[in-house]
Amino acid sequence: METVTPFKEIIDVIKEKGGDSLKYCYQCGLCDSVCPWNRVRQFSMRKVVRQGVFGLTEIEQEEIWRCSTCGTCPSRCPRGVNQIEAGVALRTMGAEYDVYPGHVATIRNVVASLTSEGNSIGGERAKRGDWAKDLPVKPYQEGMEALYFTGCYLSYDPRMRRVAQATATILNKAGVNFGILGTKESCCGESIRKTGNEELFKKLAKENIRTFIDNGVKKVIVSSPHCYHTFKNEYPEFMVNFEVVFISQFIEELIETGRLTIKGEFAKKVTYHDPCYLGRHNGVYDEPRNVLKKVPGLTFTEMADNREFALCCGGGGGRIWMETPKEERFADLRLRQAVQAGAEVLATSCPYCITNFTDSSLDLADHEKVEVKDLTEIIAEVI
C-alpha cells in the first residue's frame, strides 16, 4: 500500500476557505450512494472528500467541478460534513489560479460577462429591463410595496423572459405596487460563488446591496431559487437584512388574502419539480403545491423522488454554464419520471430547471411529450 504524506499547505487553504468539516468524514460512502451523478456515470464524492482531507486535490481535473451543489449528500451525512462548502473551498484554489479544465473552461466567459455587464449570459446591461418595455412595469421607487428582482435568465433568455412577463402580469392583476431596477440590477452572485470565485461574488453582492439601500428597498420578490437563497442566507454576511419572498410564496399569500382571484380552468395533469435551492436548501415545498391545487380543472400528481428527495436538474453549482454530455444529464431522468407519472405538464419554479428540462424535452417521443412551464405561467393563464 502506498504511503501518502499530507500536503499541509493545501489542507490549510481548504480549512481557511470553509472546508474544515471534511475532517469529520469517516468514509461511509453514503454521499456516493445518494449522489445523482451515480445514476448517469461513476463519480465518487467520497474520493473528492478524502483527497481534500490529505491535501491531494487535483484542481486540473474536472471531478471537483462535477458537484451541482444539490444538497442531497449534506442533508443525509451522518457526520455533519458539508460537502458543498468543502467542494467550493477546493474550487476556490482553481479559481484563484485560473484553472478551469475541460468543460469547465466556459466559466472564464461567465466571469468576463459578470465583470463587464453584471450578468452571466452575455447580455448588455443597457437591455436588462427590456423584457418589461411593453408592460405596465415601473422603475422601483422608495415606498413601493416590493422590488421585483428579475434575475439574469429572466431578463435576457428569450424563453425565461416569458416567465418574468407572467410574473409581472400576476403582480399587476393583484394590485401590487412594485417596480424593477432595470439597468441597476446585477447578478445575485450565487452561482459564481459556488464555482469558487469569492471575490467576484462579493463585488456583485455589494453592488446590489448598495443599490437596495440607495433606493430604500425593504421587500424583495424573486423568481429564481438561487437569488432567493443568496439574498436570504448569504447577503446577511454583509450585515444587511431585507425581507425576501419567493414568488410562489407570494402568490399563495395573494390568493389567501383575496388580492388575486383564479377565474379560469387549467384542465391538464400537472406534476411539480422541487428545485434544489428552493426545496432542500430552503424548505419551500408546500406553497407551490398549494397554489397549483387551487387551480380549477388541474389534476395534480407527484413524480418519484419528490420534495426533499427530488432529483436535481443538474444546473446548480455553476454547471448551468458547462456543457454536459447528453448521456450524463440528470434532466433527462427527471423528464422520464414526469412521463411515468402521466403528467402533461411539468411545472417548476427555477430558470435553471426550466432551461435544462426544455432541452431534455426535445428528445422525448411524440407520444411522451411533456410541456415544461413555470408555475407563474400557469397562474397567469387562469386569472
Side-chain angles (χ1 to χ4, degrees):
M1 180 180 294
E2 180 184 4
T3 301
V4 177
T5 302
F7 282 80
K8 188 175 185 302
E9 293 82 359
I10 296 179
I11 295 173
D12 289 343
V13 170
I14 292 172
K15 181 177 180 180
E16 177 189 335
K17 301 299 183 183
D20 193 42
S21 68
L22 286 181
K23 67 185 181 185
Y24 299 119
C25 174
Y26 62 177
Q27 291 288 293
C28 70
L30 183 61
C31 53
D32 285 358
S33 68
V34 301
C35 179
W37 273 111
N38 287 302
R39 298 195 186 194
V40 294
R41 59 157 291 154
Q42 187 175 2
F43 171 67
S44 179
M45 176 56 74
R46 176 173 61 168
K47 180 180 178 181
V48 172
V49 169
R50 194 62 170 169
Q51 288 176 330
V53 169
F54 285 99
L56 302 174
T57 300
E58 299 176 349
I59 63 173
E60 298 87 358
Q61 303 298 318
E62 287 191 45
E63 293 306 278
I64 66 167
W65 304 93
R66 201 166 290 283
C67 173
S68 64
T69 66
C70 71
T72 303
C73 54
S75 69
R76 314 270 189 93
C77 180
R79 294 282 287 176
V81 177
N82 191 320
Q83 291 87 347
I84 294 175
E85 288 183 358
V88 171
L90 301 177
R91 293 176 181 186
T92 299
M93 291 185 286
E96 287 179 351
Y97 289 100
D98 195 37
V99 177
Y100 296 112
H103 294 113
V104 186
T106 52
I107 292 179
R108 291 192 182 93
N109 296 330
V110 174
V111 169
S113 178
L114 286 169
T115 302
S116 62
E117 300 293 340
N119 69 85
S120 61
I121 52 181
E124 296 177 39
R125 182 180 284 276
K127 297 181 178 180
R128 190 164 185 120
D130 283 6
W131 66 269
K133 64 182 179 181
D134 296 322
L135 297 172
V137 176
K138 304 172 185 176
Y140 183 84
Q141 294 181 345
E142 187 168 359
M144 283 184 165
E145 181 178 351
L147 164 69
Y148 175 43
F149 189 94
T150 316
C152 298
Y153 272 75
L154 274 70
S155 295
Y156 294 105
D157 182 81
R159 168 65 185 90
M160 295 312 303
R161 278 184 167 192
R162 304 206 306 262
V163 177
Q165 290 160 356
T167 302
T169 298
I170 293 168
L171 296 177
N172 280 321
K173 192 75 172 181
V176 178
N177 183 19
F178 76 100
I180 63 172
L181 292 173
T183 58
K184 293 186 288 186
E185 180 181 295
S186 294
C187 177
C188 70
E190 185 278 324
S191 292
I192 200 63
R193 187 181 214 187
K194 298 304 185 295
T195 69
N197 198 324
E198 186 71 10
E199 182 181 353
L200 184 50
F201 164 73
K202 288 180 177 178
K203 175 180 179 292
L204 294 165
K206 289 175 181 177
E207 285 177 4
N208 280 322
I209 290 169
R210 189 180 304 113
T211 301
F212 289 178
I213 292 173
D214 288 348
N215 287 273
V217 174
K218 291 183 172 57
K219 182 174 184 176
V220 185
I221 299 169
V222 294
S223 292
S224 169
H226 297 269
C227 297
Y228 180 73
H229 177 81
T230 201
F231 290 162
K232 182 172 179 283
N233 302 310
E234 297 181 348
Y235 277 26
E237 295 173 19
F238 300 93
M239 308 305 292
V240 293
N241 285 281
F242 306 96
E243 181 184 359
V244 186
V245 183
F246 195 74
I247 186 61
S248 57
Q249 296 174 312
F250 196 54
I251 290 173
E252 183 186 32
E253 178 187 324
L254 292 173
I255 294 172
E256 291 294 331
T257 56
R259 298 177 67 183
L260 187 68
T261 303
I262 296 176
K263 299 176 181 178
E265 291 190 358
F266 193 82
K268 293 183 179 180
K269 192 171 185 178
V270 178
T271 191
Y272 178 76
H273 165 77
D274 294 282
C276 299
Y277 273 78
L278 191 60
R280 262 186 303 274
H281 283 282
N282 286 287
V284 179
Y285 296 111
D286 294 329
E287 293 94 325
R289 287 172 171 80
N290 293 343
V291 169
L292 289 171
K293 290 175 182 179
K294 292 179 186 295
V295 177
L298 186 152
T299 303
F300 184 79
T301 182
E302 290 282 12
M303 286 183 283
D305 300 322
N306 59 72
R307 298 178 74 92
E308 65 266 31
F309 302 110
L311 179 62
C312 175
C313 81
R319 291 204 60 85
I320 191 66
W321 304 317
M322 306 174 202
E323 181 62 34
T324 302
K326 183 181 181 303
E327 65 275 10
E328 296 181 2
R329 296 176 184 171
F330 310 160
D332 287 13
L333 302 181
R334 196 58 163 156
L335 260 292
R336 183 61 53 194
Q337 291 184 336
V339 171
Q340 292 169 350
E344 298 171 84
V345 177
L346 171 57
T348 189
S349 299
C350 175
Y352 295 177
C353 297
I354 290 176
T355 299
N356 283 338
F357 292 152
T358 300
D359 288 345
S360 292
S361 69
L362 300 176
D363 294 323
L364 292 176
D366 288 342
H367 69 282
E368 297 176 324
K369 289 298 183 186
V370 175
E371 190 176 8
V372 180
K373 280 183 172 288
D374 190 270
L375 181 145
T376 56
E377 294 179 299
I378 294 175
I379 301 303
E381 288 185 29
V382 296
I383 56 175

